[in-house]
Amino acid sequence: MSSDASPAPAKTPVTLREVAASAGVSVATASKALNGQGRMTAETRERIRETAQRLGFRPNSLAQSLLRRRSFTVGLLTNDTYGRFSLPLMSGVSDALVDAGVSVFLCNVEDDMRLAQLHVEAMLDKRVDGIIATGKRIDRHLPVDLANLRIPVIYAFTQPDPDAVGFESDDAGGARLAVEHFCRLGRKRIAHVTGPASFAVVHERARAYREVLAEHGLPVAEPLLGAWSEAWGHEAVGKLFDRRAGRAEAPDAVFCGNDQIARGVIDALRERGIGVPDDVGVIGFDNWEIVAEATRPPLTSVDMNLSALGREAGLALLSLVGGQAAAPGIRKLPCRLVVRQSCGRPPDG
Amino acid sequence: MSSDASPAPAKTPVTLREVAASAGVSVATASKALNGQGRMTAETRERIRETAQRLGFRPNSLAQSLLRRRSFTVGLLTNDTYGRFSLPLMSGVSDALVDAGVSVFLCNVEDDMRLAQLHVEAMLDKRVDGIIATGKRIDRHLPVDLANLRIPVIYAFTQPDPDAVGFESDDAGGARLAVEHFCRLGRKRIAHVTGPASFAVVHERARAYREVLAEHGLPVAEPLLGAWSEAWGHEAVGKLFDRRAGRAEAPDAVFCGNDQIARGVIDALRERGIGVPDDVGVIGFDNWEIVAEATRPPLTSVDMNLSALGREAGLALLSLVGGQAAAPGIRKLPCRLVVRQSCGRPPDG
DNA sequence: CTCCTCTGAGAAAACCTTTTCCCAAATCGC
DNA sequence: GCGATTTGGGAAAAGGTTTTCTCAGAGGAG
């Protein structure tokens, strides 16, 4: 009556008890055998292992979690509906966690407070080990308070709570990369067209922009603030090139606050017969590949390394969950310049 | 020594046992009181409820799941890295499930078989109640076999296994919507520029395109197959307009396989001085808002209602998990035409 | 007053795994 | 050959909840 011969096409998952019975040992021994704990003869251990293997035993994660008081799940909370920023970040988080056996609940809460509350409670009920909060942009708070949650919370690419740990891209550094690249290429009159004043990053980047120009002794034009849209990029070209028509001071480079703006700028330049990159170089921000690569010419852009940011956030959360303390504060991760063809070649190249 | 007065700033979550102790009843009674089961005086029930409320009791979902053999989680498997299709779908799924207390594990498996296997096993170990498989496009299989999984699987916007249930958008219907819209507007020479022949939807849509034209007695031009890119749209305009330069038979409408192609088409037309929508109407596919709205003029496009598709998939999975049987096969959900300004107004408007 | 039926509530098993403690047998030292 | 130690393995508790029994007492019928 032994079930040893059956190839285990069981309807219900096989439990440790069944493995133990089949191997003729107690569940305790079976557990220890499979986890490398306890003491027993090598043959016993091996026999149990084989039995488990043969039966297709997989420990019930729920039971483990209940006992260990760790669910090996984390929640990722976002309000970025289209996932343009969230998904690469999620990818990094997941990448950092999958090897530790941790899965990720993704919750898109839009800007709906009720929904956010609902999702957070669902995650808490499911005993997530921690939460990563992220958002469209690093300025607006998520519509829910995560400050007193009894579980670790990491903020990534969104405004952190005062005493929490957050990861952000080094936007100032990214701006430096862009402007310095222009300088290296010999561009002299570098303009900056960016998003609305309500975003902190707009000011951070603008400051870096001014600093680099000053360091190189180049004239600083006041950054043009507008929207994060192609239309604004288009319009900005009018402001940059019309009012000084014929003058020699028209920009020979434009550093844009995102790729959509850059796209609008490039289109507008082409319409005016201004060559990119020959007459004017353009650099974007975000490195949204699907846009940057479709631009003509393909757009050089600052990449925020969101995936790496996600990885860091995931690892940080993991160590927090593991009991390590972490100093609160914001860690900035470097950006990277992805050079395509919208800036021209270096003079020496 | 009663803890009744403490406002429960406990470090550890409060358990049913504590609620029961505080209310002076057994855990069994407490459980029944909170779940509306069993028989007891109304006062007892109310007293227990209040105690639970006061202590901030939330049942441990892990323990419940272990007992009920249902985890109230599902897995969403995708290989759409940028989430352009997955995220709206995920949004719909989540929307359908959140009210049932079900959370969603999102797993991006790229096209990495090992990763897919890893994630599926992690989800199985966590005893997800079911899996929804989705993908970039409805043609390529996910790099993992979900056929014999012992839990329900629903395919959404991706090629289903033979005996599974799948949800897809009605691409032929969507194409009809677009072409019929052109017909209503009095366009006579309607071209079709679309993606590569390797996609089934390309042929489905092309067939619908031909049918509608035939129904209206209009000439059918052979669809132009290429890539899903702006560059291809750009190039296609050359093919459509160059070789018949001067002839009266140049198209007065172009139905495009996606919004990026449409974008390329519109840009190319503008460069040739051909007016949109005055000379040529353009309709895209996907209704990728961030692209469609930035196009000049804003692009009329077919929306696949991915969010609704996700909802349906979520509900279907829920009923499968609940034990309802479902006939295998593919259900097609209707598309919807989002009219913007790239087609012009109806003659009577 | 006795017997029976409700009523309200508790004890305990079940879900599945891990871990601590314990015990019997075997081995060792002398 | 006897006590002490090691070895191999089991029993049981724990984790938090739900559910099925069970049971004591109260109330009603006769």
Side-chain angles (χ1 to χ4, degrees):
Chain A
M1 227 24 178
S2 136
S3 67
D4 281 33
S6 85
K11 188 76 187 170
T12 162
V14 27
T15 71
L16 186 60
R17 192 201 313 270
E18 301 174 271
V19 174
S22 175
V25 296
S26 71
V27 288
T29 305
S31 172
K32 282 181 286 196
L34 298 177
N35 294 315
Q37 305 293 324
R39 284 175 317 198
M40 68 197 71
T41 54
E43 302 97 275
T44 307
R45 197 180 292 276
E46 193 47 39
R47 175 164 46 90
I48 296 173
R49 285 222 168 107
E50 275 169 11
T51 310
Q53 176 84 33
R54 178 166 48 77
L55 263 41
F57 169 73
R58 311 233 42 180
N60 185 328
S61 188
L62 263 35
Q64 293 180 317
S65 297
L66 186 57
L67 198 55
R68 293 183 179 153
R69 290 194 187 72
R70 266 202 64 186
S71 66
F72 293 88
T73 60
V74 306
L76 183 59
L77 218 56
T78 175
N79 63 354
D80 173 18
T81 308
Y82 284 92
R84 197 168 114 228
F85 302 118
S86 289
L87 259 252
L89 198 121
M90 154 97 200
S91 211
V93 169
S94 181
D95 188 46
L97 299 182
V98 71
D99 289 319
V102 176
S103 305
V104 182
F105 288 120
L106 181 60
C107 301
N108 176 8
V109 301
E110 320 275 341
D111 288 312
D112 182 339
M113 195 155 170
R114 183 196 130 268
L115 197 60
Q117 202 64 45
L118 206 61
H119 271 128
V120 169
E121 280 174 7
M123 294 184 342
L124 255 31
D125 285 350
K126 298 211 165 69
R127 298 302 196 262
V128 292
D129 297 332
I131 290 181
I132 297 179
T134 180
K136 263 195 269 283
R137 268 286 149 185
I138 60 180
D139 288 75
R140 184 134 34 124
H141 268 286
L142 284 170
V144 62
D145 183 26
L146 303 174
N148 306 306
L149 236 45
R150 234 183 41 241
I151 56 174
V153 176
I154 297 260
Y155 293 78
F157 204 62
T158 191
Q159 184 75 16
D161 281 325
D163 294 327
V165 14
F167 289 87
E168 289 179 2
S169 54
D170 178 9
D171 280 70
R176 291 194 82 90
L177 285 178
V179 183
E180 281 170 354
H181 186 69
F182 277 143
C183 292
R184 252 196 319 280
L185 294 176
R187 307 281 175 174
K188 298 294 181 200
R189 296 174 308 283
I190 304 169
H192 183 26
V193 178
T194 185
S198 56
F199 284 75
V201 287
V202 164
H203 305 290
E204 277 180 53
R205 296 176 192 169
R207 189 166 38 71
Y209 157 79
R210 288 198 192 88
E211 282 173 12
V212 176
L213 291 183
E215 288 163 16
H216 286 77
L218 293 176
V220 177
E222 202 49 31
L224 264 42
L225 275 53
W228 296 115
S229 70
E230 244 180 277
W232 161 237
H234 211 267
E235 183 190 338
V237 168
K239 304 202 181 207
L240 284 173
F241 290 81
D242 280 355
R243 60 180 179 195
R244 31 194 149 192
R247 287 213 264 158
E249 290 146 21
D252 59 3
V254 185
F255 167 44
C256 301
N258 74 2
D259 290 344
Q260 290 154 274
I261 295 175
R263 173 84 196 245
V265 165
I266 289 183
D267 283 357
L269 290 174
R270 181 171 39 246
E271 283 166 24
R272 284 160 196 264
I274 302 174
V276 175
D278 294 341
D279 301 323
V280 174
V282 177
I283 296 184
F285 213 104
D286 290 353
N287 189 35
W288 191 13
E289 295 189 2
I290 205 153
V291 170
E293 287 172 357
T295 304
R296 288 167 307 144
L299 183 65
T300 293
S301 184
V302 178
D303 190 307
M304 294 182 287
N305 286 324
L306 287 178
S307 184
L309 204 110
R311 272 191 64 84
E312 292 300 320
L315 293 173
L317 185 59
L318 220 46
S319 94
L320 239 47
V321 168
Q324 312 273 327
I330 296 180
R331 287 126 172 92
K332 299 226 181 220
L333 266 57
C335 297
R336 140 182 83 99
L337 188 71
V338 176
V339 177
R340 296 198 181 83
Q341 298 159 38
S342 62
C343 304
R345 311 204 147 278
D348 56 45
Chain B
M1 228 24 177
S2 138
S3 66
D4 283 33
S6 86
K11 188 74 186 172
T12 164
V14 28
T15 71
L16 186 60
R17 192 201 312 272
E18 300 173 279
V19 173
S22 175
V25 297
S26 71
V27 287
T29 305
S31 171
K32 283 180 287 196
L34 297 177
N35 293 315
Q37 305 291 326
R39 283 178 317 200
M40 67 198 70
T41 54
E43 303 96 275
T44 307
R45 197 180 291 276
E46 193 47 39
R47 176 163 46 90
I48 296 173
R49 285 223 168 105
E50 274 170 11
T51 311
Q53 175 83 31
R54 179 166 47 79
L55 263 41
F57 168 73
R58 311 232 42 179
N60 185 329
S61 190
L62 262 35
Q64 293 180 318
S65 298
L66 185 56
L67 199 55
R68 293 185 182 153
R69 291 192 189 75
R70 266 203 63 187
S71 66
F72 292 88
T73 59
V74 306
L76 183 59
L77 218 56
T78 175
N79 64 354
D80 172 19
T81 309
Y82 283 92
R84 196 169 114 227
F85 302 118
S86 289
L87 259 244
L89 199 120
M90 155 96 199
S91 213
V93 170
S94 181
D95 188 45
L97 299 182
V98 70
D99 289 318
V102 176
S103 305
V104 182
F105 289 118
L106 182 60
C107 301
N108 176 8
V109 302
E110 321 274 339
D111 289 310
D112 182 340
M113 193 153 172
R114 183 197 131 269
L115 198 60
Q117 203 62 45
L118 206 60
H119 271 128
V120 169
E121 280 173 7
M123 294 185 338
L124 255 30
D125 286 350
K126 298 209 165 68
R127 297 303 195 263
V128 291
D129 298 331
I131 291 182
I132 297 179
T134 180
K136 262 196 271 283
R137 268 285 149 185
I138 60 180
D139 289 78
R140 184 138 31 129
H141 267 287
L142 284 169
V144 63
D145 182 25
L146 303 175
N148 305 307
L149 236 45
R150 235 184 39 242
I151 56 173
V153 175
I154 297 261
Y155 293 79
F157 204 63
T158 193
Q159 184 76 14
D161 281 326
D163 294 326
V165 12
F167 289 87
E168 289 180 2
S169 54
D170 177 11
D171 280 68
R176 290 194 83 90
L177 285 178
V179 183
E180 281 170 353
H181 186 69
F182 277 143
C183 292
R184 254 196 317 280
L185 295 176
R187 306 280 175 175
K188 299 294 181 197
R189 296 174 309 283
I190 305 169
H192 184 25
V193 178
T194 184
S198 57
F199 284 75
V201 288
V202 164
H203 305 290
E204 275 180 54
R205 295 176 191 169
R207 189 166 39 72
Y209 157 79
R210 288 196 193 90
E211 282 172 12
V212 175
L213 291 184
E215 288 163 16
H216 285 76
L218 294 176
V220 176
E222 201 50 31
L224 261 45
L225 274 53
W228 296 116
S229 70
E230 244 180 277
W232 161 237
H234 212 267
E235 182 188 340
V237 167
K239 306 202 181 208
L240 285 173
F241 289 82
D242 280 355
R243 61 182 177 194
R244 32 194 150 193
R247 287 214 264 158
E249 290 146 21
D252 59 3
V254 185
F255 167 44
C256 302
N258 74 2
D259 291 343
Q260 290 154 275
I261 293 176
R263 173 85 198 245
V265 165
I266 289 184
D267 283 358
L269 290 175
R270 183 173 36 246
E271 283 167 24
R272 284 159 195 265
I274 301 174
V276 175
D278 293 340
D279 300 324
V280 175
V282 177
I283 296 185
F285 213 103
D286 290 354
N287 189 34
W288 191 12
E289 295 189 1
I290 206 153
V291 170
E293 287 172 357
T295 305
R296 290 168 307 143
L299 183 65
T300 293
S301 185
V302 177
D303 190 305
M304 292 182 287
N305 287 324
L306 287 177
S307 184
L309 205 112
R311 272 192 66 82
E312 291 300 320
L315 293 173
L317 185 59
L318 220 46
S319 93
L320 241 47
V321 169
Q324 312 273 327
I330 296 180
R331 287 125 173 93
K332 299 226 180 220
L333 267 54
C335 298
R336 138 183 83 99
L337 188 70
V338 176
V339 177
R340 296 197 182 83
Q341 297 159 39
S342 61
C343 304
R345 309 205 146 277
D348 55 45

